[in-house]
Amino acid sequence: LVLILPINITGTVGELGFMTLTMSNVSKDHPRFISHLVFLYIASGIMLYGLRKYSVDYAALRHAWLSKRDPQCYTQMVTGIPASKQTPEELARFFKHMYPENFTGCELVTNLPVYDKKNLAFYVAEHEKLTAKLERFEFIATDKGEVPMTKTKLIGGEKVDAIPHTQKEMERVKKIIDELQAAEHEYVGAAFLS
């Protein structure tokens, strides 16, 4: 870039503004026009050298990792195991049959809780929105010295003091979140396979 810009700036075409920095300012017939091709080859060579070096280093690291025989290098968690396979013997027999050369063992995990994620995520997001509102209302109260007001309903609700109203709403949502987390959950079988 340091070498190519002076060639472009001193070009003979007479471009104006930003275009004086580009190769369009150098005439096609001028001998300096070939310098762009030379610098393109140099930049491409440097890039290809870097890519090759990175590729060789990556291949060496990947080979070193895969040649280890530590179980933690290959352990995966499998969920949604059918009830008929939720014994260690059945599970081991199934995966030995599916992967005879690679299977080394399994550890069955029972009582893995599955929450009602859809509702839980909704109420957690609602709690975060209310927290942001409360922070905004408290900022208005302390910065401007005003009492922030809000409506209890979107349409036709009465205007009330925003801080206590938002705090009550946060408490209501927090109770719902606690109830969802404490409720009876569906338990599924899972296993760690290596």
Side-chain angles (χ1 to χ4, degrees):
L1 190 62
V2 174
L3 298 174
I4 205 85
L5 279 178
I7 294 171
N8 293 340
I9 291 171
T10 59
T12 57
V13 174
E15 294 279 356
L16 299 174
F18 179 75
M19 295 304 288
T20 59
L21 302 176
T22 66
M23 70 185 271
S24 66
N25 198 33
V26 179
S27 174
K28 293 179 189 176
D29 303 330
H30 202 281
R32 288 189 282 180
F33 192 75
I34 197 79
S35 63
H36 293 90
L37 181 65
V38 171
F39 285 114
L40 174 70
Y41 278 119
I42 291 170
S44 297
I46 291 170
M47 183 193 68
L48 290 173
Y49 171 76
L51 282 174
R52 184 180 182 288
K53 183 175 178 348
Y54 171 78
S55 177
V56 167
D57 291 347
Y58 171 77
L61 288 172
R62 178 111 173 112
H63 179 70
W65 176 260
L66 291 176
S67 64
K68 289 182 178 180
R69 287 292 172 201
D70 297 335
Q72 63 264 28
C73 295
Y74 301 98
T75 301
Q76 294 183 357
M77 183 175 178
V78 178
T79 59
I81 299 171
S84 63
K85 304 280 188 226
Q86 287 188 10
T87 63
E89 298 81 24
E90 281 293 317
L91 196 63
R93 192 166 57 82
F94 175 76
F95 281 104
K96 276 181 191 173
H97 175 71
M98 294 297 292
Y99 308 102
E101 287 120 24
N102 299 328
F103 180 74
T104 58
C106 68
E107 183 68 34
L108 190 65
V109 180
T110 56
N111 299 334
L112 182 68
V114 176
Y115 295 103
D116 185 1
K117 292 177 187 171
K118 193 173 184 180
N119 282 335
L120 186 61
F122 171 78
Y123 284 110
V124 168
E126 188 70 24
H127 192 272
E128 289 174 1
K129 287 179 191 174
L130 289 170
T131 302
K133 276 186 180 180
L134 181 63
E135 288 174 356
R136 189 177 80 237
F137 291 145
E138 287 175 345
F139 174 76
I140 291 170
T142 56
D143 190 48
K144 296 183 179 179
E146 300 174 2
V147 176
M149 302 297 282
T150 188
K151 288 188 173 186
T152 55
K153 294 180 183 176
L154 186 62
I155 298 174
E158 63 177 290
K159 277 194 162 189
V160 294
D161 187 351
I163 294 175
H165 175 72
T166 307
Q167 288 172 338
K168 286 179 188 173
E169 282 295 306
M170 285 177 66
E171 289 173 13
R172 181 185 68 80
V173 171
K174 180 71 171 121
K175 284 181 185 176
I176 294 172
I177 291 171
D178 291 341
E179 288 172 5
L180 283 172
Q181 288 178 336
E184 288 293 320
H185 304 292
E186 173 190 355
Y187 287 97
V188 296
F192 290 105
L193 304 174
S194 54

